[in-house]
Amino acid sequence: TMADAAPGGATKSSAKSAKGDAQKYFKKKPDPEGAKLIEQGEEALKASDFDKAKELFDKATDLCKNSTAQAEKPKKEPKPAAAESKKDAGKDEGAQAARVLLLASPSANMQAKPPREGVAESYNYAANTAETLKGHMAATGGIYRTRFPPEPN
């Protein structure tokens, strides 16, 4: 706004824009002197000295652009060897089996949906008969089957 700018000087938004540029280049080339200039620029920005802040951020940007410092890339951990993964596979199978055991057995699924309150028993139509459940178990082998991707509501 006009109140943020000194007559003929930098505005608050131009100082913030310069700060963003300086931080972007500092991320690519982290020069320690550039970091000091950015900190000084932030202090000037807090003190509402937008001319000084913009000047410091611009200096930091130029310094980082021309710097030889290189950002360290995060190191990825190497994948475990095949032999180690086979040892862990036994543990994973046990953990997977424990997860599967948390689900109800399909053979115990006599009620597909919970009964609705206040509705007569004859209208709670989601009850499975023993014959229907037996046919389902024969067709699926007792394996859970889900749709992916799930259908939208």
Side-chain angles (χ1 to χ4, degrees), residues 10 15 17 24 39 53 66 76 89 91 110-111 115 117 123 129 133 140:
S17 177
K24 179 173 74 172
E39 286 177 16
N66 301 324
K76 296 181 181 178
K91 294 176 187 174
M110 293 304 290
Q111 186 73 35
E117 290 184 33
Y123 289 106
T129 63
L133 193 56
T140 63

Side-chain angles (χ1 to χ4, degrees), residues 102-121:
L102 295 176
L103 299 172
S105 170
S107 61
N109 190 13
M110 293 304 290
Q111 186 73 35
K113 294 185 193 175
R116 296 178 293 172
E117 290 184 33
V119 177
E121 187 69 30

Side-chain angles (χ1 to χ4, degrees), residues 88-105 144:
D88 294 338
K91 294 176 187 174
D92 289 342
E93 288 174 9
Q96 185 69 18
R99 280 190 224 137
V100 172
L101 292 177
L102 295 176
L103 299 172
S105 170
Y144 284 95

Side-chain angles (χ1 to χ4, degrees), residues 15-149:
K16 283 186 171 183
S17 177
K19 176 183 175 181
D21 291 342
Q23 288 175 331
K24 179 173 74 172
Y25 284 104
F26 178 74
K27 204 172 196 179
K28 292 178 185 176
K29 296 184 178 183
D31 191 290
E33 292 299 315
K36 289 178 186 174
L37 288 173
I38 290 173
E39 286 177 16
Q40 291 171 4
E42 287 174 347
E43 290 172 12
L45 193 61
K46 285 180 185 175
S48 297
D49 188 357
F50 306 126
D51 288 328
K52 183 178 178 185
K54 185 173 182 338
E55 180 184 332
L56 289 167
F57 290 136
D58 288 340
K59 282 183 184 177
T61 300
D62 292 338
L63 187 66
C64 290
K65 274 185 184 179
N66 301 324
S67 176
T68 57
Q70 292 295 320
E72 290 184 26
K73 294 182 180 178
K75 295 181 181 178
K76 296 181 181 178
E77 294 182 20
K79 293 184 179 179
E84 292 177 15
S85 64
K86 287 182 182 177
K87 290 178 186 175
D88 294 338
K91 294 176 187 174
D92 289 342
E93 288 174 9
Q96 185 69 18
R99 280 190 224 137
V100 172
L101 292 177
L102 295 176
L103 299 172
S105 170
S107 61
N109 190 13
M110 293 304 290
Q111 186 73 35
K113 294 185 193 175
R116 296 178 293 172
E117 290 184 33
V119 177
E121 187 69 30
S122 62
Y123 289 106
N124 280 319
Y125 56 88
N128 291 324
T129 63
E131 298 82 39
T132 306
L133 193 56
K134 189 174 184 181
H136 173 74
M137 293 298 289
T140 63
I143 298 172
Y144 284 95
R145 299 206 178 157
T146 59
R147 293 181 64 102
F148 186 82

